[in-house]
Amino acid sequence: MSDELNYGEVYAPIYEEYTAVQGKVAEVDQTVAFLERYSSGGSALDLGIGDGRVAAPLSERGVKVEGIDNSCSMLELLAKRTDLIKAWQGDIAHFKTEQRYSLVYCVYFTFTLLVTREAQIDCLRSAAAALDDEGILVIELDVPSSDPRVGGQKTTTVRLVDHENTILNVAVHDPLTQNLVSTLLWFSGTSVRRLPQRVRYVYHQELDTMAECVGLELVERWGDWARGAFTEGSKRHISVYRRSSPSSGDLPRQKRG
Ligand SMILES: C[S@@+](CC[C@H](N)C(=O)[O-])C[C@H]1O[C@@H](n2cnc3c(N)ncnc32)[C@H](O)[C@@H]1O
């Protein structure tokens, strides 16, 4: 599998159908209600905006949403969907905006599509710099599997089974880089689609540490968009950060005592 794998180019042709099957379309109202609380009266920046699954309904609620994506095909889907949103092609690890936003968000598992630790930290740094003084960064991430993993281990996970679809994730694990190189096998009707992807999984405490390194601090963490508690049984988290110091990029302040 190529290191140049572009998630958006692979998934754009089936993204709408895929996210619907995965329940990501059904949960959009809750996602948008959650995000709207932090953006009311202001503006928002969607990192990895995709087809506008979240950004489009958020903008329909009156939030001025902008977005970045590195996939032309995804940006074309977005443009077909709405003309309310300014979006541009770019890398969410390295971006600079003239504007400052009340809310910057990176949802679904988009953050893990940055497959090195450095790229993930760079993304947090860029996001911190894009926040206005009271700005909030929201990141949604899956909790990595707690099954013991060893190097080179190949795993097959059942992602979904219903009357019409079976989705399996066949992955190879590299513990040195926390990378999972996987192929989703989506069986539906008589077709099988093979969808490659690569992610760098990250635990919530590592995310907090990376955020602290770029001058962000955790203010809330939830287990779902309905603000359910984040517990040992949670399959994902929604983490909310704000700037911990006036200038982003500072090292975290030392705690006293
Ligand atoms: C899982 S999709 C999420 C799309 C949308 N935010 C949603 O929630 O449905 C990830 C998106 O991030 C984009 N993406 C992945 N890596 C990126 C990068 N380094 N820079 C910019 N966009 C990226 C992909 O093209 C894709 O549109």
Side-chain angles (χ1 to χ4, degrees):
M1 190 179 299
S2 161
D3 280 348
E4 301 305 313
L5 175 69
N6 182 310
Y7 176 93
E9 294 305 311
V10 172
Y11 279 77
I14 48 94
Y15 194 70
E16 231 174 277
E17 188 189 350
Y18 179 71
T19 46
V21 166
Q22 294 276 346
K24 299 305 286 184
V25 174
E27 72 175 27
V28 153
D29 284 349
Q30 271 185 349
T31 308
V32 166
F34 184 103
L35 294 173
E36 192 184 15
R37 275 174 62 126
Y38 298 106
S39 51
S40 50
S43 53
L45 180 66
D46 186 327
L47 304 182
I49 190 168
D51 70 343
R53 180 182 68 91
V54 172
L58 186 60
S59 71
E60 282 158 16
R61 293 200 187 196
V63 179
K64 187 170 176 294
V65 185
E66 299 187 349
I68 306 175
D69 206 286
N70 66 357
S71 159
C72 293
S73 302
M74 282 291 191
L75 289 171
E76 280 167 20
L77 291 180
L78 174 70
K80 276 189 205 147
R81 183 175 198 155
T82 178
D83 56 9
L84 289 175
I85 294 174
K86 176 182 150 197
W88 61 93
Q89 193 174 13
D91 182 356
I92 58 171
H94 305 280
F95 65 93
K96 270 195 183 146
T97 55
E98 284 183 11
Q99 191 184 327
R100 295 288 172 266
Y101 301 87
S102 322
L103 169 70
V104 176
Y105 62 91
C106 189
V107 298
Y108 206 174
F109 59 94
T110 303
F111 186 75
T112 58
L113 293 171
L114 299 169
V115 296
T116 64
R117 179 175 166 275
E118 291 75 17
Q120 292 181 344
I121 292 173
D122 286 343
C123 175
L124 294 170
R125 184 179 291 109
S126 301
L131 294 175
D132 67 23
D133 287 348
E134 305 299 317
I136 288 292
L137 171 66
V138 174
I139 298 189
E140 177 190 18
L141 277 186
D142 290 338
V143 172
S145 163
S146 56
D147 297 341
R149 285 172 165 158
V150 293
Q153 183 183 13
K154 300 174 183 65
T155 54
T156 304
T157 315
V158 179
R159 279 285 182 85
L160 180 124
V161 182
D162 65 20
H163 289 307
E164 285 161 19
N165 305 282
T166 304
I167 301 181
L168 306 179
N169 185 18
V170 184
V172 183
H173 178 223
D174 177 354
L176 298 183
T177 58
Q178 295 181 198
N179 270 209
L180 287 168
V181 180
S182 60
T183 302
L184 283 190
L185 297 173
W186 181 3
F187 301 83
S188 57
T190 56
S191 81
V192 185
R193 282 169 277 196
R194 293 181 69 251
L195 301 161
Q197 72 180 37
R198 181 183 197 115
V199 296
R200 179 180 187 269
Y201 62 85
V202 50
Y203 293 91
H204 61 281
Q205 289 188 326
E206 183 190 1
L207 183 67
D208 293 346
T209 303
M210 293 193 289
E212 282 170 20
C213 286
V214 300
L216 292 166
E217 64 184 6
L218 181 75
V219 283
E220 294 171 15
R221 174 168 285 132
W222 304 99
D224 57 42
W225 291 113
R227 297 180 168 266
F230 178 65
T231 68
E232 69 279 4
S234 295
K235 299 252 184 307
R236 63 174 162 174
H237 59 91
I238 292 129
S239 298
V240 180
Y241 299 91
R242 69 176 168 220
R243 284 158 65 151
S244 50
S245 61
S247 55
S248 60
D250 287 355
L251 288 170
R253 285 174 293 210
Q254 295 289 316
K255 284 194 181 129
R256 284 164 196 265

